[in-house]
Amino acid sequence: MRVPRFTRHHAAVLAATVALATGPVTATPAPPVLCGDTVTSDITLSADLHCPGPGLIVKAGNVVLNLNGHSITGSGTGSGISVTGQSGVRIQNGKISKFDYGVFFAESADSELADLTIADNVSRNVLTVDRSTNIKLTNDKIRRGRVGINTTAGLTVSNSEFTQAPIDFSLTSRSPVISGSKFVDSDIFYSQNANNGSLTASTLIRSGVGLREADGLTVSGNVFNQGYIRVLNGCRDTTITDNRFSNGDRAVFVQQATSSANLRITGNRFTGNQIGVDASDLSVGMENGITISENTFTDNAVAGILLESPSYNSVYWARIAKNTLTSNGKRSGGRVDSAGRPINDGIHVNVPAGSPVEITGNITRRNADYGIEAVPGSVTDGGGNTSSGNPSGCLGVTCT
């Protein structure tokens, strides 16, 4: 007897029969994400979370937390999202607010906060600690709350906005990179061996950069409006170049810079500040000193450059070269140096006789009093300085 063949047609008929008998197979929906959940795989929020305690706790690497446009809101305690000992975590597309810490990283690496608003968290909007590495903040808005970067190497901030949200780099937070970002009422402070950082192509409004015991910072291509850079003690190899400073007080301020060395201020534009570069508040001098070169100083109220080291303090090395200074000192308000001399010049220098200060190749035009004023015999005249339209010409160096 011949056995009939089992064809594709028979298989299709059998499958249809089974489907009619059992009904369609449907996937079980994922349970909703809740406050306090431990995250071990990718998640996508489907609703806002309002948390009386912690938000979400990440316990696995290489996961994506997509807030999907939703908010995670706390009550002033815990962390909105905490990541400990993981790598490859991406948190994106939503808002985290009103916790003690907005986002907390510890011993974590290669992770990113992207397209987030992090605001109004009590202690820190973002905190990284315990040797975390390569954390990125990309296209974020950080508002009303500090950012703490401690013992973290390789933090990168790009295309982000900070409003009333200062950043503190401390405790060997090496090689932080900030680029293309905006800071409003938000200072950036580098301290305690937060070395080899860079701040580039950013805008700072009523915001400043402070350095203490931090080496190798480069500040380049930024716009400071009512902003400043302040160099304190123990800072070596700082480069400030190609920035624009306007409408500030002391745009670059060298203050009590004990053991600081090799500060380079070059190729910047200083317009409409009180003082462009002010190195007059020194309790002791800098080692290896300051180079101020190829900058443009225009319409700064008190002076373009003020350099002062009273005789009872140690003297620092400085070179002031190839700067252009125009219309400075015209709104000085009667300010005087420690010897009682008016400060209303393009370059004003008050240092002891024979100081290692060289002034060379500067162009001065239409400043309120002197183009360059230095006590005769106190500085080295490197030649090439010029004066045009300065009522008192130059003192202490020869100007043509």
Side-chain angles (χ1 to χ4, degrees):
M1 182 177 64
R2 190 177 68 170
V3 178
R5 295 175 58 195
F6 189 77
T7 65
R8 292 183 182 177
H9 172 73
H10 295 101
V13 171
L14 178 60
T17 303
V18 171
L20 288 172
T22 62
V25 178
T26 58
T28 302
V33 179
L34 302 175
C35 296
D37 276 0
T38 296
V39 177
T40 58
S41 61
D42 294 354
I43 64 167
T44 299
L45 291 190
S46 58
D48 294 346
L49 298 180
H50 299 274
C51 304
L56 302 176
I57 303 160
V58 180
K59 290 291 188 179
N62 300 309
V63 298
V64 176
L65 282 68
N66 183 0
L67 306 192
N68 196 29
H70 293 290
S71 298
I72 303 177
T73 306
S75 58
T77 62
S79 298
I81 298 177
S82 62
V83 184
T84 300
Q86 307 301 328
S87 64
V89 176
R90 180 181 172 90
I91 306 166
Q92 65 185 38
N93 190 23
K95 182 176 182 180
I96 303 165
S97 64
K98 298 185 179 179
F99 291 89
D100 190 19
Y101 299 101
V103 180
F104 174 80
F105 284 101
E107 297 181 313
S108 296
D110 304 319
S111 297
E112 184 170 19
L113 307 177
D115 301 301
L116 295 169
T117 296
I118 307 174
D120 301 306
N121 295 285
V122 178
S123 293
R124 295 289 188 274
N125 275 324
V126 179
L127 178 63
T128 70
V129 298
D130 295 341
R131 300 172 299 283
S132 293
T133 57
N134 299 330
I135 307 298
K136 296 180 180 180
L137 279 66
T138 308
N139 298 326
D140 295 314
K141 293 179 173 61
I142 314 296
R143 297 172 176 164
R144 298 177 298 277
R146 304 188 76 88
V147 174
I149 310 299
N150 302 329
T151 62
T152 299
L155 180 100
T156 301
V157 177
S158 60
N159 301 314
S160 295
E161 297 180 10
F162 295 76
T163 304
Q164 298 178 32
I167 303 179
D168 298 312
F169 293 102
S170 62
L171 298 172
T172 63
S173 291
R174 299 179 303 279
S175 305
V177 173
I178 301 174
S179 65
S181 294
K182 183 176 182 180
F183 297 83
V184 180
D185 300 312
S186 303
D187 294 340
I188 308 167
F189 196 72
Y190 301 81
S191 66
Q192 297 172 295
N193 297 312
N195 297 336
N196 302 317
S198 65
L199 170 64
T200 62
S202 295
T203 298
L204 294 91
I205 300 172
R206 297 183 302 276
S207 304
V209 176
L211 295 90
R212 185 194 299 272
E213 299 175 5
D215 298 343
L217 177 66
T218 298
V219 182
S220 176
N222 304 287
V223 175
F224 290 78
N225 188 348
Q226 300 181 55
Y228 66 90
I229 298 175
R230 183 170 61 177
V231 181
L232 298 162
N233 59 289
C235 300
R236 295 178 290 271
D237 300 317
T238 302
T239 299
I240 302 168
T241 185
D242 193 31
N243 304 285
R244 288 183 287 164
F245 298 86
S246 61
N247 306 314
D249 184 15
R250 294 174 281 197
V252 176
F253 182 26
V254 186
Q255 181 184 25
Q256 300 183 3
T258 311
S259 300
S260 291
N262 198 20
L263 169 60
R264 297 179 294 273
I265 306 167
T266 180
N268 304 283
R269 286 189 286 169
F270 299 86
T271 305
N273 305 284
Q274 290 295 301
I275 301 174
V277 176
D278 185 343
S280 65
D281 189 11
L282 300 176
S283 61
V284 294
M286 293 183 71
E287 301 172 359
N288 300 323
I290 309 172
T291 298
I292 306 170
S293 65
E294 301 182 61
N295 304 285
T296 299
F297 299 86
T298 306
D299 195 33
N300 297 285
V302 178
I305 300 170
L306 174 60
L307 187 67
E308 183 167 22
S309 179
S311 58
Y312 54 85
N313 291 335
S314 61
V315 180
Y316 50 87
W317 176 91
R319 186 170 189 265
I320 303 173
K322 299 182 180 179
N323 302 284
T324 300
L325 304 105
T326 305
S327 299
N328 300 286
K330 295 186 176 181
R331 301 179 306 282
S332 65
R335 181 165 174 171
V336 298
D337 65 19
S338 60
R341 301 182 184 90
I343 304 173
N344 53 359
D345 312 301
I347 300 172
H348 187 98
V349 179
N350 178 31
V351 293
S355 295
V357 175
E358 180 184 8
I359 301 177
T360 182
N362 299 285
I363 299 169
T364 65
R365 306 183 183 114
R366 301 184 301 279
N367 297 285
D369 190 10
Y370 290 95
I372 301 170
E373 180 178 2
V375 177
S378 65
V379 302
T380 297
D381 183 352
N385 299 294
T386 68
S387 171
S388 174
N390 303 293
S392 299
C394 293
L395 180 67
V397 298
T398 298
C399 291
T400 58

